Amino acid sequence: MVEAAERSISAEAQEPDRPYEVALRPARFDDFVGQEKIRSNLRVFVEAARRRGEPVDHVLLCGPPGLGKTTLALILAEERGVHLHMTSGPAIEHKGQLAALLTKLEPNDILFIDEIHRLTPAVEENLYTAVEDFRIDVVHGDGPYAQSLQLRLHPFTLVGATTRTGLLSNPMRSRFGYPARLEYYAPDELSKIVTRSAGLLGIEITPDASQEIAARSRGTPRIANRLLRRGRDFAEVLSNGALDLETARESLDRLDVDRAGLDDMDRKYMRVIIEHYDGGPVGIETLAAALSEPRDTLEDVYEPYLLQQGFIARTARGRTATRKAFSHLGKSAPSSQRDLF
Ligand code: ADP
């Protein structure tokens, strides 16, 4: 079976994506499509901070992978005219590493911590005083000769990113002046992103092909860009290089991404609820065992999009398949399910 992270429609970055991610990443607010409210608020914060000569207030970006959290951090640095220092929660193993990162920051720089919910409690606690008072305590020496030194830091901006707000501690969450939740993109926004990316990669694409790719990209720019690149491969081999609607459809069908942006694994998830558990409700642990996938993978990878699109619902007694799921799989919903939805 294909690993969750290797699916064509995985929202996680895959190795072959990386060079393209850099090339396709918008560097300015003007090129960043969608997320209107967040974008216009951040624009104001950057402008105000620049006028005052201060760092931008600390920003927390929440939302599923591939929606533009890293991109927004890069844009913040670019627009504020400062350096961006990128790291992630699991990469900062102890306080010393945090101190090394923080003391490297120049005035108003941005420190981007991806997966900030995965910081260790000790590191997290040290980060509190750093973001509040721009100082950090470091221990110098060992045993009875150990001394605690207080280091002053340049004022900086912490941009934290997390896919799981629920896992972030309350004290950490409260340190951010602006918590922003990124939403899945609408098809017309994704279509704009596909058209822009095609232009940057020199791919000839028709508007209806852009829309087709957008419609099957699960509201996620990273997936849209990947499906565009795969579409280009098919276009080069199957047609004269131009990506038209027919080629786009053919390539997406061959990649097993259906009209709703679901792949085999999504359909299997829904089929298990429908065929083995009469449409649910079924507990998450039972589902995890039936699908031989860890519970976390189900919750982080499969469910967000299926929930958002209304294919499944979360109830107190477990997951249920909605009527939309039944009809998507060409099955008729039992009467109990018809009453529910
Ligand atoms: P995240 O950090 O949330 O996982 P990224 O910021 O790495 O997501 O975005 C993944 C890719 O999607 C980027 O390389 C970028 O090209 C593209 N992307 C994301 N958001 C947008 C957007 N709003 N407009 C254009 N491209 C975007």
Side-chain angles (χ1 to χ4, degrees):
M1 191 155 65
V2 184
E3 285 287 319
E6 289 164 12
R7 304 154 79 195
S8 294
I9 53 168
S10 161
E12 304 284 351
Q14 297 169 355
E15 213 37 57
D17 295 338
R18 297 199 195 277
Y20 294 98
E21 295 236 318
V22 175
L24 298 179
R25 219 164 228 153
R28 293 277 175 182
F29 282 127
D30 281 343
D31 297 322
F32 189 88
V33 178
Q35 314 289 349
E36 286 311 327
K37 210 168 105 195
I38 297 175
R39 191 166 61 129
S40 63
N41 284 343
L42 290 179
R43 215 193 260 273
V44 171
F45 300 155
V46 169
E47 186 50 33
R50 197 175 26 211
R51 285 188 197 175
R52 288 196 299 262
E54 287 175 2
V56 179
D57 210 352
H58 306 304
V59 177
L60 178 65
L61 302 169
C62 319
L67 296 194
K69 297 184 290 297
T70 310
T71 306
L72 280 173
L74 282 155
I75 293 177
L76 277 175
E78 182 74 28
E79 298 266 355
R80 179 66 187 82
V82 295
H83 291 115
L84 179 79
H85 305 252
M86 292 172 85
T87 184
S88 76
I92 312 174
E93 287 168 18
H94 52 78
K95 292 193 273 186
Q97 277 177 338
L98 178 70
L101 271 172
L102 291 170
T103 47
K104 259 200 305 221
L105 300 176
E106 287 169 37
N108 307 326
D109 272 1
I110 295 183
L111 176 65
F112 176 68
I113 306 186
D114 202 7
E115 296 187 83
I116 194 161
H117 61 272
R118 294 180 60 192
L119 286 174
T120 64
V123 170
E124 193 178 305
E125 216 161 288
N126 259 247
L127 193 56
Y128 297 158
T129 52
V131 296
E132 263 175 9
D133 305 329
F134 303 125
R135 64 177 170 81
I136 187 162
D137 296 320
V138 286
V139 180
H140 189 69
D142 260 335
Y145 303 106
Q147 277 184 325
S148 182
L149 290 177
Q150 206 173 73
L151 287 183
R152 289 219 63 80
L153 303 168
H154 290 300
F156 70 99
T157 301
L158 173 66
V159 177
T162 179
T163 46
R164 309 275 299 267
T165 359
L167 294 184
L168 202 63
S169 72
N170 275 333
M172 188 74 252
R173 198 174 318 155
S174 67
R175 293 321 197 264
F176 291 97
Y178 182 59
R181 167 155 282 283
L182 278 74
E183 302 293 341
Y184 285 114
Y185 291 68
D188 61 324
E189 293 169 339
L190 282 180
S191 176
K192 273 192 207 150
I193 293 175
V194 170
T195 307
R196 172 182 175 274
S197 301
L200 290 170
L201 296 175
I203 303 173
E204 216 181 300
I205 189 168
T206 59
D208 49 7
S210 282
Q211 281 155 17
E212 187 69 19
I213 291 175
R216 300 203 203 183
S217 297
R218 331 179 123 229
T220 307
R222 175 175 288 134
I223 299 176
N225 283 341
R226 186 183 308 132
L227 294 180
L228 168 69
R229 284 185 0 249
R230 304 253 161 101
R232 169 175 65 177
D233 295 341
F234 282 97
E236 277 167 5
V237 178
L238 301 179
S239 65
N240 57 1
L243 191 48
D244 56 16
L245 180 60
E246 200 187 331
T247 318
R249 283 200 173 139
E250 165 122 28
S251 68
L252 292 160
D253 289 346
R254 287 198 190 197
L255 291 169
D256 182 41
V257 180
D258 71 20
R259 294 286 159 95
L262 308 188
D263 73 356
D264 209 34
M265 292 166 85
D266 297 305
R267 291 189 293 271
K268 186 168 168 204
Y269 177 101
M270 299 193 298
R271 214 174 293 123
V272 166
I273 303 184
I274 289 173
E275 291 174 3
H276 298 197
Y277 302 98
D278 294 330
V282 49
I284 183 76
E285 296 293 353
T286 313
L287 263 179
L291 289 160
S292 313
E293 288 279 359
R295 175 190 176 147
D296 278 357
T297 309
L298 296 190
E299 291 188 318
D300 292 353
V301 182
Y302 295 76
E303 292 189 336
Y305 188 68
L306 294 174
L307 280 165
Q308 195 256 355
Q309 290 289 303
F311 286 105
I312 58 165
R314 233 185 237 158
T315 70
R317 288 186 301 139
R319 274 54 170 172
T320 47
T322 63
R323 252 193 311 187
K324 191 171 171 184
F326 278 86
S327 83
H328 191 76
L329 296 179
K331 298 182 182 295
S332 52
S335 52
S336 58
Q337 223 63 19
R338 283 194 206 111
D339 298 340
L340 269 174
F341 299 101

